[in-house]
Amino acid sequence: MNYTELSVATQDVMPNKGVLFFKSGLSDFIQVGEPIQNEDGLTFVGKLDECGDTFCPNCSRKLVKNGSLESTLKHVAIGGIHTNIRVSYARFRCLNIDCQFNTRSQSIPFKADGYRITKPLKEYTEKLLSYGLTLKAVAWLTGLDKMTVKSIHKSLLLSKFTTDGKTLIKPERQAKYLAIDEFKLHDGHKYATAIIDWETGYILYLAHGKKKAVVFEFMDHVADEWMSKVEAVACDMNSDFEEAFKGRYPKLDIVYDRFHIIKNFNDKVVSEIRKDEQRRLAEEGSPEAAKLLKNSRYILMSKRSTLVQKDEDARKDKLVSTAGEIFNTPEIKAHGGNEVWYDELLEENKLFFTIDLVKDLLDQAYNSHDEVEMCVRLEEIIDICKATKNSHFIWFARLLYRHLRGIYTFAKYGISTGKLEGINNKIKTERRKGYGYPDDEYFFLRLMELSRKAS
């Protein structure tokens, strides 16, 4: 039922005032008089339908009416105006003086359990929350306190993702591949770990920390039969994750994420060599050559095909940013000369040429669908890096050698933590939208729901 759309029969016009009022639209509620309008909105005053004979649940004797009580409940807003229901209901007394149920009140059928609001308002609140609105926005729309909205949402999520409000549900489906990664939970270097079904993107498990214990807890949660059907796990080079999975399930394949390999090469090799060369040229009295390296970090990191595309965009006068009059923002077009600059850098230094070669071989390795072929490419990269005698290249060669199996296994499965990195970005956005969530349990439940909406 749509509680915000009422039929014409529920409308009344106050005489001589020209103001349109609506009836509450609640069954079992008999409205008395016209709604009262004040700073809190509209208040509908009335009583419950007369109930028939009522009997004591303890001794089965007939109960007698013993006065009445009054309660005020928040109700669904009408036309943006918050409403309340002020309802009178009967109180009963058992004539048996020895009965423990000496007094009893008439139940309000439209009152939401655990809240001083109507069931329609609770349903409306849950609907707004399902659209992804923040607690603050829903509180403003419904007239409820933000903590009441949070309580309603948490109860809804607990019913969805737990079996008894305390035990997390088992995964909805059997996963073939998993992905695991940590994310920042709070400021102060507090982290949590997320494990997802790689194919669906659903978050299956969340826990504080980023150690082996999290993996063990997850494996205990899903049980051996479920884990035995998982073929591979994508992760970064966190040794704790690998040791925990392989320790209990040796046949499980670990796939190291491509993004982390490339990022390590760019940050620890390309960037460091560029800085070393710029420093060396400046010390040797070659300021012009050193100047050529300024702002060249992303040029050296990019593929040649990317540089060619940027030059093509420049020839077509492609706009990067349009001009604006309000803030006097300039028009910015794509810059050309990227490939020429790149070639000049390669000619100036043999190490830069080696960087270009390694980038090309890494690209070929990750385009391979055969484990042996990918392993051969990686071993070739290791040999090239060692031959340079450069400390940064040697570091990268050791990194590849230590994690060789987990890297070339990518050719077999083609999985990465990319989906999880995308979810991590959504986690950051969700945390910012809510200005942080001190209740971690509620935040984790929100993230589980978010992952299912994102898929």
Side-chain angles (χ1 to χ4, degrees):
M1 175 179 178
N2 186 343
Y3 295 97
T4 62
E5 297 179 2
L6 305 176
S7 65
V8 176
T10 64
Q11 301 177 7
D12 284 329
V13 178
M14 291 183 66
N16 303 321
K17 292 187 178 180
V19 180
L20 184 67
F21 280 101
F22 290 80
K23 291 184 179 178
S24 67
L26 291 170
S27 59
D28 301 313
F29 178 70
I30 301 173
Q31 188 171 325
V32 178
E34 297 162 348
I36 301 170
Q37 188 172 24
N38 53 33
E39 58 184 14
D40 295 327
L42 288 177
T43 300
F44 297 92
V45 182
K47 60 182 180 179
L48 294 180
D49 278 336
E50 292 289 338
C51 57
D53 292 341
T54 306
F55 298 90
C56 178
N58 187 46
C59 64
S60 301
R61 289 193 182 184
K62 186 177 179 179
L63 298 174
V64 296
K65 191 172 181 181
N66 185 36
S68 63
L69 299 170
E70 188 177 78
S71 183
T72 300
L73 308 174
K74 288 276 188 183
H75 189 42
V76 179
I78 298 176
I81 301 174
H82 296 148
T83 64
N84 300 288
I85 301 295
R86 188 182 299 162
V87 58
S88 297
Y89 54 100
R91 184 174 61 182
F92 300 96
R93 181 166 60 88
C94 182
L95 296 177
N96 183 2
I97 58 174
D98 296 325
C99 179
Q100 61 176 335
F101 289 96
N102 193 256
T103 59
R104 184 178 179 84
S105 300
Q106 183 182 5
S107 63
I108 304 174
F110 48 80
K111 179 182 179 297
D113 292 339
Y115 304 97
R116 298 183 67 82
I117 64 175
T118 62
K119 288 179 180 178
L121 179 56
K122 186 183 178 192
E123 292 171 8
Y124 179 54
T125 302
E126 291 173 345
K127 192 71 174 177
L128 291 174
L129 289 164
S130 71
Y131 295 147
L133 272 66
T134 62
L135 299 180
K136 186 177 180 180
V138 175
W140 182 81
L141 288 168
T142 58
L144 298 174
D145 178 78
K146 190 171 77 169
M147 296 310 294
T148 302
V149 176
K150 178 213 164 183
S151 177
I152 292 172
H153 197 205
K154 186 173 181 178
S155 297
L156 179 66
L157 295 176
L158 284 170
S159 67
K160 186 176 180 180
F161 295 112
T162 65
T163 54
D164 54 5
K166 296 179 180 179
T167 306
L168 191 67
I169 60 168
K170 302 291 183 182
E172 299 95 319
R173 64 186 292 276
Q174 174 63 55
K176 190 176 181 180
Y177 309 123
L178 301 176
I180 181 171
D181 199 9
E182 69 271 5
F183 62 93
K184 189 176 180 180
L185 184 59
H186 299 295
D187 289 335
H189 304 289
K190 293 183 180 179
Y191 290 87
T193 299
I195 301 175
I196 69 167
D197 181 333
W198 186 85
E199 292 175 301
T200 63
Y202 290 1
I203 293 179
L204 304 180
Y205 197 76
L206 287 158
H208 290 94
K210 50 179 181 177
K211 300 295 183 183
K212 293 180 183 178
V214 175
V215 179
F216 290 136
E217 289 168 7
F218 169 72
M219 292 188 292
D220 291 339
H221 169 64
V222 297
D224 288 339
E225 183 180 355
W226 192 91
M227 276 300 302
S228 63
K229 297 175 183 177
V230 177
E231 295 182 16
V233 179
C235 64
D236 60 14
M237 286 175 283
N238 185 327
S239 60
D240 286 335
F241 293 157
E242 180 182 7
E243 289 172 9
F245 278 115
K246 296 288 284 185
R248 190 174 293 185
Y249 302 99
K251 294 182 179 180
L252 191 66
D253 282 326
I254 300 298
V255 182
Y256 289 125
D257 184 57
R258 173 180 182 173
F259 169 79
H260 289 87
I261 302 296
I262 304 299
K263 188 176 186 301
N264 270 306
F265 180 69
N266 285 334
D267 292 347
K268 302 295 178 66
V269 181
V270 179
S271 292
E272 294 303 318
I273 288 176
R274 184 188 69 88
K275 284 189 242 181
D276 289 348
E277 288 304 298
Q278 192 173 18
R279 193 181 304 113
R280 180 183 66 80
L281 290 169
E283 291 173 354
E284 291 178 356
S286 304
E288 290 300 320
K291 188 177 180 181
L292 184 65
L293 289 174
K294 190 175 181 181
N295 300 323
S296 63
R297 182 170 183 262
Y298 293 103
I299 290 285
L300 290 168
M301 289 181 182
S302 300
K303 293 182 184 178
R304 184 174 290 274
S305 58
T306 303
L307 302 177
V308 170
Q309 183 60 53
K310 287 183 177 181
D311 287 344
E312 180 64 24
D313 292 341
R315 282 191 291 271
K316 294 178 180 178
D317 289 331
K318 183 178 179 179
L319 286 176
V320 177
S321 177
T322 56
E325 296 180 1
I326 299 175
F327 300 105
N328 196 28
T329 52
E331 180 181 86
I332 301 175
K333 293 183 178 181
H335 293 286
N338 295 285
E339 191 178 14
V340 173
W341 187 6
Y342 187 60
D343 288 333
E344 289 176 358
L345 291 172
L346 298 188
E347 290 176 7
E348 288 292 329
N349 194 292
K350 290 182 179 179
L351 287 176
F352 292 155
F353 181 81
T354 307
I355 286 174
D356 183 65
L357 179 60
V358 170
K359 281 194 305 181
D360 186 55
L361 289 172
L362 278 173
D363 193 47
Q364 291 178 33
Y366 276 105
N367 285 327
S368 173
H369 299 289
D370 181 77
E371 288 183 275
V372 175
E373 182 184 343
M374 186 170 181
C375 183
V376 169
R377 296 287 186 192
L378 293 171
E379 287 177 341
E380 186 178 355
I381 293 171
I382 292 171
D383 291 338
I384 290 171
C385 290
K386 287 180 178 178
T388 63
K389 306 296 184 183
N390 179 273
S391 61
H392 305 302
F393 272 115
I394 291 172
W395 174 86
F396 187 65
R398 288 173 180 167
L399 179 75
L400 294 181
Y401 181 77
R402 288 198 307 268
H403 302 89
L404 190 60
R405 178 173 173 76
I407 298 173
Y408 70 69
T409 308
F410 175 84
K412 181 179 180 180
Y413 298 104
I415 63 174
S416 69
T417 61
K419 287 186 179 181
L420 196 46
E421 293 294 340
I423 291 175
N424 284 349
N425 288 332
K426 290 181 181 293
I427 289 172
K428 294 173 187 175
T429 303
E430 185 73 9
R431 187 171 58 238
R432 286 195 296 268
K433 276 171 58 180
Y435 297 98
Y437 292 93
D439 185 347
D440 289 341
E441 184 176 78
Y442 172 58
F443 184 46
F444 286 174
L445 289 168
R446 285 186 69 106
L447 297 182
M448 293 189 73
E449 184 183 43
L450 178 68
S451 71
R452 282 147 180 80
K453 287 181 180 178
S455 61

